[in-house]
Amino acid sequence: MSAEPYSAVSLIAAKRDGRELSDSEIGWLIESYLAGSVAEEQMAALLMAVYFNSMSDQELVSLTRAIVDSGERMDLSRLSRPTVDKHSTGGVGDKVSLILAPMLAAVGAAVPQLSGRGLGHTGGTLDKLESIPGWRSALSPSEIMRNLDRVGCVICAAGAGLAPADRRLYALRDVTATVESIPLIAASIISKKLAEGTSALLLDVKVGRGAFMKSLERAEELARTMVDLGQRFGVATKAVLTAMDDPLGRAVGNALEVEEALEVLSGGGPADLVELCVELARTMAELAGLDADPRRTLSDGSAMDHFRAMVAAQGGDVEAQLPRAKFVERFSAAEAGYVSSVDAMRVGEVAWRLGAGRDRKEDPVSATAGVICLAKAGDRVAKGQPLFEIHADDPARLAGARAGLQRALRIAGSPPSPQPLILGRLG
Ligand code: URA
């Protein structure tokens, strides 16, 4: 007779038939999956049952807790600064983390930004920072604490000890077409933030053709689920829904995005990127209980000082030139008119195919490949005016990039109506 309290088959059948699983059943499933006594195919079947039947609020809390309990939890309570973090569901040209973390540190917060790498058409924060010579993403828990204490912000890889169940579950979701389940996404994202130990959290849920969530309705559902979940665990959580139809800023690609982030930290940069950073930074400061205007940190140089200190604390050479691609080519307008849209998904795919992104998580990425959008929606362009700059290490990839960018941009006879960047707020 089995000594196990439950049978995986019975729990899969229960979830398949719409019965709510208890806290102890969910805890057992996750623990047994990690221990190897619940098989991959059983967990795959359970994930598919969740995909179709969703989860109750109580099940979601239990799953999130079980994922957190599968590993270590950082204790940031001895820091003298209030902690606040941000999570973006991912977009094209989204280099916001590189700017926000030092902005918040400059107004007195501690930002423990444990980040991931990019997959597919969206870039990863760690890949971007790795284009800075010497910068390293792997830090020990004591280094993270020291840098949070001294600098106020850290962007680094989440250690293997944090939420290990999420790593296993995510890999399985990836190969079983169950990534898109809202409760599974919410549990995955919130569990990692709980394990990281932040007291406040802002979720930037991207909506549009370049985002994971294509419709406002789905994005709102995901945002509401994550805000409720974070709050249930005592984390001050808010969400902002932001447009991701067109790339954010102009640069798409690892070193190119670091360069653009440096422009913003120097008080310049594209208007949409600056607007979003200021908006998110204000909300994060509020969540952290700080009465400060983070916009001034861009004009007075204090955000830049914190960025340089953060990079140097992780071995990065802040004086070094960022690497440049060997081949840079411009792509020009075939007709005059107004740019009505620049398709973020298509630009993201071009940058990915140039080498800026990866197909599988173990693949390397190019630091230098990518695209600069010289024209943005609403701009008036003349025939022959450059629209994009293509950066490639391999000239054989230029033709494919030109063809992809041709399909990404639309030119019309009249200017498009301006689209808001902030589509909603929750929490
Ligand atoms: N990002 C995560 O961390 N988890 C998901 O499930 C989806 C996006």
Side-chain angles (χ1 to χ4, degrees), residues 228-253:
D228 286 351
L229 191 57
Q231 288 177 349
R232 274 171 179 260
F233 280 96
V235 175
T237 312
K238 289 190 181 208
V240 183
L241 303 172
T242 66
M244 184 33 71
D245 281 327
D246 291 26
L248 186 61
R250 295 182 185 278
V252 182

PDB file of all heavy atoms in Angstrom, residues 228-253:
ATOM      1  N   ASP A 228      -4.437  41.201  -7.037  1.00  0.00           N
ATOM      2  CA  ASP A 228      -5.120  40.530  -5.915  1.00  0.00           C
ATOM      3  C   ASP A 228      -4.172  39.563  -5.215  1.00  0.00           C
ATOM      4  O   ASP A 228      -4.113  39.490  -3.993  1.00  0.00           O
ATOM      5  CB  ASP A 228      -6.333  39.724  -6.413  1.00  0.00           C
ATOM      6  CG  ASP A 228      -7.479  40.640  -6.797  1.00  0.00           C
ATOM      7  OD1 ASP A 228      -7.397  41.844  -6.511  1.00  0.00           O
ATOM      8  OD2 ASP A 228      -8.450  40.135  -7.403  1.00  0.00           O
ATOM      9  N   LEU A 229      -3.440  38.807  -6.019  1.00  0.00           N
ATOM     10  CA  LEU A 229      -2.556  37.780  -5.460  1.00  0.00           C
ATOM     11  C   LEU A 229      -1.438  38.415  -4.632  1.00  0.00           C
ATOM     12  O   LEU A 229      -1.169  37.985  -3.501  1.00  0.00           O
ATOM     13  CB  LEU A 229      -1.986  36.951  -6.618  1.00  0.00           C
ATOM     14  CG  LEU A 229      -1.244  35.687  -6.277  1.00  0.00           C
ATOM     15  CD1 LEU A 229      -2.093  34.718  -5.451  1.00  0.00           C
ATOM     16  CD2 LEU A 229      -0.772  34.976  -7.572  1.00  0.00           C
ATOM     17  N   GLY A 230      -0.804  39.445  -5.189  1.00  0.00           N
ATOM     18  CA  GLY A 230       0.264  40.134  -4.447  1.00  0.00           C
ATOM     19  C   GLY A 230      -0.269  40.681  -3.138  1.00  0.00           C
ATOM     20  O   GLY A 230       0.350  40.526  -2.077  1.00  0.00           O
ATOM     21  N   GLN A 231      -1.445  41.315  -3.204  1.00  0.00           N
ATOM     22  CA  GLN A 231      -2.012  41.924  -1.995  1.00  0.00           C
ATOM     23  C   GLN A 231      -2.371  40.872  -0.951  1.00  0.00           C
ATOM     24  O   GLN A 231      -2.205  41.080   0.240  1.00  0.00           O
ATOM     25  CB  GLN A 231      -3.225  42.783  -2.372  1.00  0.00           C
ATOM     26  CG  GLN A 231      -2.786  44.056  -3.104  1.00  0.00           C
ATOM     27  CD  GLN A 231      -3.945  44.921  -3.579  1.00  0.00           C
ATOM     28  OE1 GLN A 231      -5.087  44.501  -3.552  1.00  0.00           O
ATOM     29  NE2 GLN A 231      -3.635  46.119  -4.043  1.00  0.00           N
ATOM     30  N   ARG A 232      -2.864  39.723  -1.392  1.00  0.00           N
ATOM     31  CA  ARG A 232      -3.193  38.649  -0.439  1.00  0.00           C
ATOM     32  C   ARG A 232      -1.972  38.196   0.351  1.00  0.00           C
ATOM     33  O   ARG A 232      -2.081  37.715   1.465  1.00  0.00           O
ATOM     34  CB  ARG A 232      -3.747  37.427  -1.182  1.00  0.00           C
ATOM     35  CG  ARG A 232      -5.226  37.508  -1.427  1.00  0.00           C
ATOM     36  CD  ARG A 232      -5.632  36.394  -2.351  1.00  0.00           C
ATOM     37  NE  ARG A 232      -7.051  36.429  -2.594  1.00  0.00           N
ATOM     38  CZ  ARG A 232      -7.947  35.654  -1.977  1.00  0.00           C
ATOM     39  NH1 ARG A 232      -7.559  34.761  -1.090  1.00  0.00           N
ATOM     40  NH2 ARG A 232      -9.217  35.742  -2.262  1.00  0.00           N
ATOM     41  N   PHE A 233      -0.793  38.328  -0.288  1.00  0.00           N
ATOM     42  CA  PHE A 233       0.443  37.943   0.415  1.00  0.00           C
ATOM     43  C   PHE A 233       1.088  39.131   1.134  1.00  0.00           C
ATOM     44  O   PHE A 233       2.227  39.059   1.567  1.00  0.00           O
ATOM     45  CB  PHE A 233       1.439  37.313  -0.566  1.00  0.00           C
ATOM     46  CG  PHE A 233       1.128  35.870  -0.873  1.00  0.00           C
ATOM     47  CD1 PHE A 233       0.399  35.526  -2.000  1.00  0.00           C
ATOM     48  CD2 PHE A 233       1.537  34.852  -0.022  1.00  0.00           C
ATOM     49  CE1 PHE A 233       0.100  34.204  -2.283  1.00  0.00           C
ATOM     50  CE2 PHE A 233       1.244  33.525  -0.295  1.00  0.00           C
ATOM     51  CZ  PHE A 233       0.516  33.194  -1.428  1.00  0.00           C
ATOM     52  N   GLY A 234       0.357  40.248   1.219  1.00  0.00           N
ATOM     53  CA  GLY A 234       0.846  41.389   1.994  1.00  0.00           C
ATOM     54  C   GLY A 234       1.822  42.282   1.252  1.00  0.00           C
ATOM     55  O   GLY A 234       2.474  43.122   1.870  1.00  0.00           O
ATOM     56  N   VAL A 235       1.945  42.110  -0.075  1.00  0.00           N
ATOM     57  CA  VAL A 235       2.823  42.985  -0.861  1.00  0.00           C
ATOM     58  C   VAL A 235       1.960  44.109  -1.439  1.00  0.00           C
ATOM     59  O   VAL A 235       0.914  43.837  -2.038  1.00  0.00           O
ATOM     60  CB  VAL A 235       3.505  42.194  -2.015  1.00  0.00           C
ATOM     61  CG1 VAL A 235       4.328  43.112  -2.904  1.00  0.00           C
ATOM     62  CG2 VAL A 235       4.380  41.086  -1.439  1.00  0.00           C
ATOM     63  N   ALA A 236       2.367  45.363  -1.233  1.00  0.00           N
ATOM     64  CA  ALA A 236       1.613  46.498  -1.801  1.00  0.00           C
ATOM     65  C   ALA A 236       1.774  46.419  -3.321  1.00  0.00           C
ATOM     66  O   ALA A 236       2.875  46.634  -3.842  1.00  0.00           O
ATOM     67  CB  ALA A 236       2.176  47.804  -1.267  1.00  0.00           C
ATOM     68  N   THR A 237       0.723  46.030  -4.013  1.00  0.00           N
ATOM     69  CA  THR A 237       0.838  45.736  -5.450  1.00  0.00           C
ATOM     70  C   THR A 237      -0.108  46.605  -6.272  1.00  0.00           C
ATOM     71  O   THR A 237      -1.275  46.751  -5.921  1.00  0.00           O
ATOM     72  CB  THR A 237       0.497  44.249  -5.719  1.00  0.00           C
ATOM     73  OG1 THR A 237       1.211  43.427  -4.800  1.00  0.00           O
ATOM     74  CG2 THR A 237       0.844  43.830  -7.135  1.00  0.00           C
ATOM     75  N   LYS A 238       0.413  47.165  -7.358  1.00  0.00           N
ATOM     76  CA  LYS A 238      -0.409  47.899  -8.314  1.00  0.00           C
ATOM     77  C   LYS A 238      -0.021  47.437  -9.706  1.00  0.00           C
ATOM     78  O   LYS A 238       1.059  46.868  -9.896  1.00  0.00           O
ATOM     79  CB  LYS A 238      -0.155  49.404  -8.233  1.00  0.00           C
ATOM     80  CG  LYS A 238      -0.696  50.048  -6.969  1.00  0.00           C
ATOM     81  CD  LYS A 238      -0.621  51.553  -7.069  1.00  0.00           C
ATOM     82  CE  LYS A 238      -1.145  52.159  -5.784  1.00  0.00           C
ATOM     83  NZ  LYS A 238      -1.712  53.457  -5.941  1.00  0.00           N
ATOM     84  N   ALA A 239      -0.901  47.723 -10.671  1.00  0.00           N
ATOM     85  CA  ALA A 239      -0.571  47.396 -12.061  1.00  0.00           C
ATOM     86  C   ALA A 239      -0.892  48.580 -12.953  1.00  0.00           C
ATOM     87  O   ALA A 239      -1.813  49.346 -12.673  1.00  0.00           O
ATOM     88  CB  ALA A 239      -1.355  46.179 -12.512  1.00  0.00           C
ATOM     89  N   VAL A 240      -0.106  48.721 -13.994  1.00  0.00           N
ATOM     90  CA  VAL A 240      -0.355  49.724 -15.025  1.00  0.00           C
ATOM     91  C   VAL A 240      -0.432  48.954 -16.341  1.00  0.00           C
ATOM     92  O   VAL A 240       0.408  48.084 -16.602  1.00  0.00           O
ATOM     93  CB  VAL A 240       0.803  50.755 -15.079  1.00  0.00           C
ATOM     94  CG1 VAL A 240       0.505  51.831 -16.103  1.00  0.00           C
ATOM     95  CG2 VAL A 240       1.018  51.392 -13.724  1.00  0.00           C
ATOM     96  N   LEU A 241      -1.456  49.244 -17.138  1.00  0.00           N
ATOM     97  CA  LEU A 241      -1.566  48.613 -18.456  1.00  0.00           C
ATOM     98  C   LEU A 241      -0.970  49.585 -19.468  1.00  0.00           C
ATOM     99  O   LEU A 241      -1.399  50.742 -19.521  1.00  0.00           O
ATOM    100  CB  LEU A 241      -3.032  48.351 -18.805  1.00  0.00           C
ATOM    101  CG  LEU A 241      -3.810  47.501 -17.801  1.00  0.00           C
ATOM    102  CD1 LEU A 241      -5.285  47.485 -18.147  1.00  0.00           C
ATOM    103  CD2 LEU A 241      -3.277  46.084 -17.801  1.00  0.00           C
ATOM    104  N   THR A 242       0.014  49.164 -20.234  1.00  0.00           N
ATOM    105  CA  THR A 242       0.672  50.101 -21.151  1.00  0.00           C
ATOM    106  C   THR A 242       0.721  49.540 -22.576  1.00  0.00           C
ATOM    107  O   THR A 242       0.810  48.326 -22.776  1.00  0.00           O
ATOM    108  CB  THR A 242       2.100  50.465 -20.668  1.00  0.00           C
ATOM    109  OG1 THR A 242       2.933  49.313 -20.720  1.00  0.00           O
ATOM    110  CG2 THR A 242       2.095  51.013 -19.257  1.00  0.00           C
ATOM    111  N   ALA A 243       0.658  50.470 -23.526  1.00  0.00           N
ATOM    112  CA  ALA A 243       0.563  50.085 -24.943  1.00  0.00           C
ATOM    113  C   ALA A 243       1.863  49.473 -25.455  1.00  0.00           C
ATOM    114  O   ALA A 243       2.945  49.979 -25.167  1.00  0.00           O
ATOM    115  CB  ALA A 243       0.221  51.319 -25.766  1.00  0.00           C
ATOM    116  N   MET A 244       1.736  48.396 -26.193  1.00  0.00           N
ATOM    117  CA  MET A 244       2.898  47.771 -26.832  1.00  0.00           C
ATOM    118  C   MET A 244       2.533  47.383 -28.275  1.00  0.00           C
ATOM    119  O   MET A 244       2.715  46.249 -28.695  1.00  0.00           O
ATOM    120  CB  MET A 244       3.353  46.567 -25.982  1.00  0.00           C
ATOM    121  CG  MET A 244       4.603  45.817 -26.400  1.00  0.00           C
ATOM    122  SD  MET A 244       5.922  46.732 -27.171  1.00  0.00           S
ATOM    123  CE  MET A 244       6.564  47.698 -25.847  1.00  0.00           C
ATOM    124  N   ASP A 245       1.961  48.350 -29.000  1.00  0.00           N
ATOM    125  CA  ASP A 245       1.714  48.120 -30.426  1.00  0.00           C
ATOM    126  C   ASP A 245       2.963  48.464 -31.219  1.00  0.00           C
ATOM    127  O   ASP A 245       3.319  47.776 -32.165  1.00  0.00           O
ATOM    128  CB  ASP A 245       0.545  48.996 -30.913  1.00  0.00           C
ATOM    129  CG  ASP A 245      -0.796  48.405 -30.513  1.00  0.00           C
ATOM    130  OD1 ASP A 245      -0.897  47.162 -30.470  1.00  0.00           O
ATOM    131  OD2 ASP A 245      -1.731  49.164 -30.224  1.00  0.00           O
ATOM    132  N   ASP A 246       3.613  49.564 -30.816  1.00  0.00           N
ATOM    133  CA  ASP A 246       4.847  50.019 -31.466  1.00  0.00           C
ATOM    134  C   ASP A 246       6.002  49.809 -30.489  1.00  0.00           C
ATOM    135  O   ASP A 246       5.777  49.758 -29.275  1.00  0.00           O
ATOM    136  CB  ASP A 246       4.752  51.523 -31.774  1.00  0.00           C
ATOM    137  CG  ASP A 246       3.732  51.822 -32.877  1.00  0.00           C
ATOM    138  OD1 ASP A 246       2.788  51.024 -33.057  1.00  0.00           O
ATOM    139  OD2 ASP A 246       3.878  52.844 -33.547  1.00  0.00           O
ATOM    140  N   PRO A 247       7.251  49.707 -30.969  1.00  0.00           N
ATOM    141  CA  PRO A 247       8.376  49.549 -30.032  1.00  0.00           C
ATOM    142  C   PRO A 247       8.454  50.742 -29.079  1.00  0.00           C
ATOM    143  O   PRO A 247       8.075  51.856 -29.437  1.00  0.00           O
ATOM    144  CB  PRO A 247       9.601  49.520 -30.951  1.00  0.00           C
ATOM    145  CG  PRO A 247       9.080  49.158 -32.293  1.00  0.00           C
ATOM    146  CD  PRO A 247       7.695  49.701 -32.379  1.00  0.00           C
ATOM    147  N   LEU A 248       8.947  50.501 -27.882  1.00  0.00           N
ATOM    148  CA  LEU A 248       9.114  51.564 -26.886  1.00  0.00           C
ATOM    149  C   LEU A 248      10.464  52.241 -27.137  1.00  0.00           C
ATOM    150  O   LEU A 248      11.499  51.568 -27.178  1.00  0.00           O
ATOM    151  CB  LEU A 248       9.054  50.947 -25.488  1.00  0.00           C
ATOM    152  CG  LEU A 248       9.069  51.930 -24.328  1.00  0.00           C
ATOM    153  CD1 LEU A 248       7.871  52.867 -24.362  1.00  0.00           C
ATOM    154  CD2 LEU A 248       9.066  51.174 -23.004  1.00  0.00           C
ATOM    155  N   GLY A 249      10.449  53.550 -27.315  1.00  0.00           N
ATOM    156  CA  GLY A 249      11.690  54.249 -27.657  1.00  0.00           C
ATOM    157  C   GLY A 249      12.052  53.959 -29.099  1.00  0.00           C
ATOM    158  O   GLY A 249      11.187  53.641 -29.921  1.00  0.00           O
ATOM    159  N   ARG A 250      13.338  54.038 -29.406  1.00  0.00           N
ATOM    160  CA  ARG A 250      13.771  53.813 -30.791  1.00  0.00           C
ATOM    161  C   ARG A 250      14.640  52.555 -30.936  1.00  0.00           C
ATOM    162  O   ARG A 250      14.681  51.950 -31.998  1.00  0.00           O
ATOM    163  CB  ARG A 250      14.599  55.004 -31.284  1.00  0.00           C
ATOM    164  CG  ARG A 250      13.788  56.283 -31.376  1.00  0.00           C
ATOM    165  CD  ARG A 250      14.627  57.440 -31.922  1.00  0.00           C
ATOM    166  NE  ARG A 250      13.860  58.676 -31.900  1.00  0.00           N
ATOM    167  CZ  ARG A 250      12.974  59.043 -32.821  1.00  0.00           C
ATOM    168  NH1 ARG A 250      12.761  58.265 -33.868  1.00  0.00           N
ATOM    169  NH2 ARG A 250      12.317  60.176 -32.711  1.00  0.00           N
ATOM    170  N   ALA A 251      15.354  52.192 -29.876  1.00  0.00           N
ATOM    171  CA  ALA A 251      16.353  51.125 -29.995  1.00  0.00           C
ATOM    172  C   ALA A 251      15.775  49.767 -29.611  1.00  0.00           C
ATOM    173  O   ALA A 251      15.064  49.648 -28.612  1.00  0.00           O
ATOM    174  CB  ALA A 251      17.542  51.448 -29.091  1.00  0.00           C
ATOM    175  N   VAL A 252      16.102  48.750 -30.412  1.00  0.00           N
ATOM    176  CA  VAL A 252      15.707  47.364 -30.130  1.00  0.00           C
ATOM    177  C   VAL A 252      16.960  46.504 -30.343  1.00  0.00           C
ATOM    178  O   VAL A 252      17.457  46.398 -31.479  1.00  0.00           O
ATOM    179  CB  VAL A 252      14.562  46.903 -31.060  1.00  0.00           C
ATOM    180  CG1 VAL A 252      14.149  45.479 -30.719  1.00  0.00           C
ATOM    181  CG2 VAL A 252      13.367  47.846 -30.968  1.00  0.00           C
ATOM    182  N   GLY A 253      17.477  45.915 -29.282  1.00  0.00           N
ATOM    183  CA  GLY A 253      18.740  45.162 -29.375  1.00  0.00           C
ATOM    184  C   GLY A 253      19.534  45.474 -28.112  1.00  0.00           C
ATOM    185  O   GLY A 253      19.343  46.543 -27.512  1.00  0.00           O
TER     186      GLY A 253
END
